[in-house]
Amino acid sequence: MVSFRFPFSFSQPPRATSFSGFSVSAVAVSVTVGAAAAAGAAIAASRNPRHPILEWAFSSHRSSLLLPWGSITLADSTSESVVEPKTGFSFPASIGDSRRLLGVGLRKKSLLGLKNIDVYAFGVYADCDDVKKLVGEKYANLPASEIRGNKSFLDDLMQADIKMTIRLQIVYGKLSIRSVRSAFQESVGNRLKKFGGLDNDQLLLSFTSLFKDEYKIPRNSTIDLTKEPGHVLSVAIEGDHVGSVKSQLLCRSILDLYIGEEPFDKNAKEDFLDNVASLAFDN
């Protein structure tokens, strides 16, 4: 099992203090749970969304969060968390035994071209051991700088049997599970067509039907999309498992929304690639 040192970095506004070791971006670190909660509360108080969200709130039209670049280093601690800077929402540095947080981002949506709505913050996790295994098998002769920009590596990462989790934290308090289902039907449906052709309606239905009307997703609630061993996509809402679908094509289509060619948040993808490259050669 790999070490859980956490020298990873994330996008954030620039800081006066810099740290050696990495030249990539970073978000603020929540030193205590209270600090993260206070930050979230302050930001929440400044927001008062009044416009109803449309059914396509999560649709395939991406909205990038453009942030300046800074750097920060995280020390060893099982209680560490990383804060998405626009919302103040905090993500744990690790999930399970060896899945580490490698990128955070924000899904935004323009409402009628008049107002941008923060729909959800998200964190991208990957199993450290699985990533290192992939690198050792196919990319051991490449330096970290070349792995980061290698399209074949990213494709392999999305298709390989690597345990990964995309955690969504709902920001927009009026979002309904019906909107989530409808939006995934469009965005994931487009990716299924992109990677697998037109005849995937039943596969798409098997995924979207997991988001049943009885589930409630108020502000701060979580949705976990986890790629389990064997290319099984497992879905959990507020920590409760609601179903699974076994499909390599579906797993790749989900990951493509966040780390593919046209991700919802470009900075989150860049952070993910920087940190994967660093992780691959961390002994």
Side-chain angles (χ1 to χ4, degrees):
M1 184 172 294
V2 300
S3 168
F4 268 9
R5 290 177 299 160
F6 195 25
F8 305 139
S9 46
F10 301 84
S11 298
Q12 71 165 27
R15 297 169 59 91
T17 304
S18 62
F19 296 81
S20 61
F22 295 92
S23 60
V24 294
S25 55
V27 294
V29 177
S30 172
V31 179
T32 64
V33 175
I43 293 173
S46 68
R47 299 168 181 269
N48 184 23
R50 297 181 180 277
H51 298 282
I53 193 79
L54 301 183
E55 287 297 318
W56 37 254
F58 287 56
S59 72
S60 57
H61 305 290
R62 62 181 174 84
S63 174
S64 299
L65 171 63
L66 301 179
L67 295 175
W69 297 86
S71 64
I72 194 167
T73 302
L74 305 182
D76 293 29
S77 174
T78 57
S79 63
E80 284 169 352
S81 59
V82 175
V83 175
E84 194 291 309
K86 287 291 186 178
T87 62
F89 278 38
S90 178
F91 292 84
S94 64
I95 297 178
D97 292 335
S98 59
R99 276 171 293 162
R100 300 297 290 176
L101 179 63
L102 301 179
V104 293
L106 177 62
R107 179 71 175 107
K108 298 173 71 72
K109 184 62 192 179
S110 175
L111 185 62
L112 301 178
L114 301 175
K115 178 179 179 180
N116 282 329
I117 290 177
D118 298 339
V119 183
Y120 61 82
F122 63 88
V124 184
Y125 295 78
D127 186 285
C128 299
D129 299 324
D130 289 346
V131 171
K132 287 194 171 187
K133 181 180 178 182
L134 174 64
V135 172
E137 290 176 348
K138 299 191 64 174
Y139 299 93
N141 295 327
L142 292 180
S145 59
E146 291 188 26
I147 285 182
R148 184 194 178 285
N150 191 304
K151 184 179 183 301
S152 295
F153 174 70
L154 183 58
D155 290 340
D156 285 342
L157 192 65
M158 289 193 289
Q159 295 187 76
D161 196 8
I162 292 176
K163 190 170 184 178
M164 298 181 67
T165 293
I166 309 295
R167 170 162 291 184
L168 318 182
Q169 289 200 57
I170 305 303
V171 176
Y172 189 77
K174 297 180 181 179
L175 190 67
S176 69
I177 198 71
R178 183 176 180 180
S179 295
V180 174
R181 184 172 61 241
S182 175
F184 273 140
Q185 184 172 358
E186 179 181 351
S187 60
V188 177
N190 287 338
R191 264 58 174 196
L192 290 175
K193 291 177 183 178
K194 173 183 176 182
F195 297 122
L198 298 176
D199 189 21
N200 290 292
D201 290 346
Q202 189 57 45
L203 176 58
L204 179 61
L205 179 61
S206 67
F207 169 64
T208 57
S209 64
L210 299 178
F211 299 90
K212 303 183 186 305
D213 288 342
E214 64 257 31
Y215 300 135
K216 306 301 179 184
I217 49 170
R219 179 178 168 87
N220 297 316
S221 59
T222 62
I223 299 175
D224 284 352
L225 308 174
T226 297
K227 181 182 176 184
E228 304 281 4
H231 302 286
V232 174
L233 182 72
S234 175
V235 179
I237 298 177
E238 282 291 271
D240 295 327
H241 178 73
V242 300
S244 300
V245 179
K246 181 178 175 63
S247 168
Q248 184 178 15
L249 174 60
L250 178 61
C251 289
R252 181 182 182 184
S253 297
I254 294 291
L255 292 176
D256 191 69
L257 298 174
Y258 302 95
I259 58 173
E261 291 183 358
E262 295 186 80
F264 288 151
D265 187 325
K266 285 185 176 180
N267 279 354
K269 174 187 174 179
E270 293 302 309
D271 286 341
F272 176 82
L273 292 176
D274 285 336
N275 289 324
V276 164
S278 300
L279 169 66
F281 293 94
D282 176 27
N283 295 320

